Amino acid sequence: MSKEGSSMVRAWEATLRKTQAAKKRANSIFGTMSVAHADDDNDNDDNDDIDRQSISMEGYNADKILPNGDYYTGQWLDNFPNGHGKYLWTDGCIYVGEWYRGKTMGRGRFSWPSGAIYEGEFKSGYMDGIGTYTASNGDTYRGQWVMNLRHGHGTKHYSNGDWYDGEWRCGKQEGQGRYQWKDGNHYVGDWKNGLMSGKGTFVWISGNRYDGYWQNALPKGNGTFKWPDGSFYVGNWSSNVDEHTGSYYAPGSSEPDPNVDWDPQTVYKVDLADCKIAVGEKVMILPSQKKLSVWNSTKDGDKPRRMSVDGRVSVGVDRAFDKMHMWASDGGTGDDNPAMGRRSDGDVLSLHFDNGNPKGIPLQPMRLPKAGKRQGETISKGHKNYELMLNLQLGIRHSVGRPAPSSSLDLRASAFDPKEKVWTKFPPEGSKHTPPHQSSEFKWKDYCPLVFRTLRKLFKVDPADYMISICGNDALRELSSPGKSGSFFYLTNDDRYMIKTIKKAEVKVLLRMLSAYYNHVRAFENTLVIKFFGLHCVKLTGSIQRKVRFIIMGNLFCSEYTINKRYDLKGSSLGRLTDKPESEIDETTILKDLDLNFIFRLQKSWFQDFCRQVDRDCEFLEQERIMDYSLLVGLHFREKSPAGELIPSGARTPTGEPENVGAPRLSRVDMDNLLVDPVRWASISLGANMPARVERTVRRSDCEFQLIGEPTGECYEVIMFFGIIDILQDYDITKKLEHAYKSIQYDPTSISAVDPRQYSRRFRDFIFKVFSEDI
């Protein structure tokens, strides 16, 4: 190492010690210090100016002690690490490897002060690709990564001697895999959420083995336990003694032996007692969370900005650096607060959007729709549907609270028979099975009660919580206007469930397809098809005799996040534009295909899962002759200004004329807070609470019904929600006539009422264009 380089390292080491002892003094120590490549020195010679121009285009090697005490040595381009370089943070973290415009990109090695090391591929600041992570406690994982998480095939060796080889998803074992304990016992089979779940085989070193189904790391369902001598036990396994049934067979025997006294619960209490899945070491800080201190050239001199290694600029987030006056110019007072978006020279730091319009026309900043009131009118006493609500709540309480034997997920065909329904009479004075009430007498009908009870179990709906949501002290809310179909919608007070009145024809469609629906949602846990929890009917007696049929569904938009935009997408153009004037559009307005001005970009693994699931769901609906369904999409924008303008994600360091310096694109998004929080990760699934990006699009003015606009490059960080709704419309005679009539007046491909096969194909073609992989 050169003399200059050695002195640089010694200076950095001194800086590291001082920064860790007292970070608040860092600015006074390094505020006026910038040691760089000799070509950075100011020189008025014209030839030197030409040389510097050439260097700035190709990059150069640099050694930099940054104002906060960080140290970088390596290739540098346009105020960013670019190429191969080494970055040392003051907390002891080190990255050595490839960079691209300030992002760790390519192969590299990241080490933590604890001794943990990751060596492998990086993408946009994340551990992403093939890599090896060695924890400080000795755990080692070799395999595939996606956005800092083990995802794909990989092998993990634990410090206690256990090891796992198989599939991973979102940081946990999921899919096919083999886990072997240090004592030699091993399991081969299905995994889910880090636990043995599904079909698998457990083999003990004693020679005993269990072949069958598992749930949450325990035998659950049909299975066989075998001994080395050839004897075996077959049954329906459960840790609950009351649910367990089975028979023992002696070696070579085809008849059960009732005289053998063996308790299957010993498998749970003894054989599996010590077979626990090892827990890996938690990474306290991820590479993509590390911040870079980089320069942004300005007409007033070098002004450093704080930036994460995935290329995101922090604005008013790192308060420690605010105190070090990192935003102050040389000789400035540093009193201006960067959180307020103000530069030290007194100019307001504007939020500028890149000109990504293909036509070259500057884009106006996007604004959020105005905040809407809470959806729905509370149904209180005096409301025209108050009695109907009371009847509904009484019926639900009766249906859900009615004792029923514990049932398996394997239902008999008779459970799906459309004639499988239960009528209950509710007189005002009460009866043996019903409580007294203040409403008029009515009858209550449950359609296929066992099927919907099992569906609620499959969807992990707690019966008590379900009853409280719908039948608690809080009233339901009626949405202000019925849908196009004439149905009315009601929301529970906690927003978890939506109740929709439906026609008799829709009831028939659901009962006809119920068996196929049940098998589909059971086979594909990540299905986007709307979840149904109950199908009921209230028959009013007395002077007003009418039947009200309704279905209870999950609310896709039940979330802690505010849904800022909502879209109902079908892939057709006729009538697919909201009829509300701009002034009346708020956050609760459902926009349509021709209102859409975004492309939804999902992270690679999510996008692959999304495409597969849309194909499966559409094939299921096509087989059931269903059409006119749509994808309901909700967006929560993570970054917005106090004035309601959306702030694009990413950052761009200005390299053009000085007057452009004051207009960078800024973002304070920190996705990694979500990545390191297991509780938040547990709430994320396909179509719910999904972090993603949306790219703004613009339509050509010469094309009136251009379904998908042209991308502009302007992206926003969002949380996405989506699912397939309105799946009870089959291609009946009414829809066939509608298709024939509208085809005469309009382009047949633009209308919604088309054959289920054509509808499915058009729907998928459209959805796969407005959703894409985030690269």
Side-chain angles (χ1 to χ4, degrees), residues 64 100 174 184 232 267 338 352 428 437 463 561 593 653 746 751 760:
K64 290 182 180 287
Y100 178 72
E174 186 153 331
F232 60 95
V267 174
H352 173 73
H437 58 88
Y561 298 105
D593 301 64
T653 300
Y746 309 102
I751 60 180
S760 172

Side-chain angles (χ1 to χ4, degrees), residues 631-644:
L631 186 76
L632 186 63
V633 178
L635 301 177
H636 167 78
F637 290 88
R638 295 173 63 89
E639 292 296 307
K640 45 254 184 193
S641 71

Side-chain angles (χ1 to χ4, degrees), residues 179-198:
Y179 191 100
Q180 182 155 322
W181 284 263
K182 60 182 178 181
D183 59 7
N185 296 337
H186 68 270
Y187 168 85
V188 180
D190 294 333
W191 292 75
K192 184 176 178 182
N193 200 30
L195 297 173
M196 299 174 286
S197 290

Side-chain angles (χ1 to χ4, degrees), residues 132-145:
T132 300
Y133 175 80
T134 304
S136 59
N137 67 354
D139 289 354
T140 302
Y141 171 83
R142 294 182 179 88
Q144 294 175 297
W145 297 76

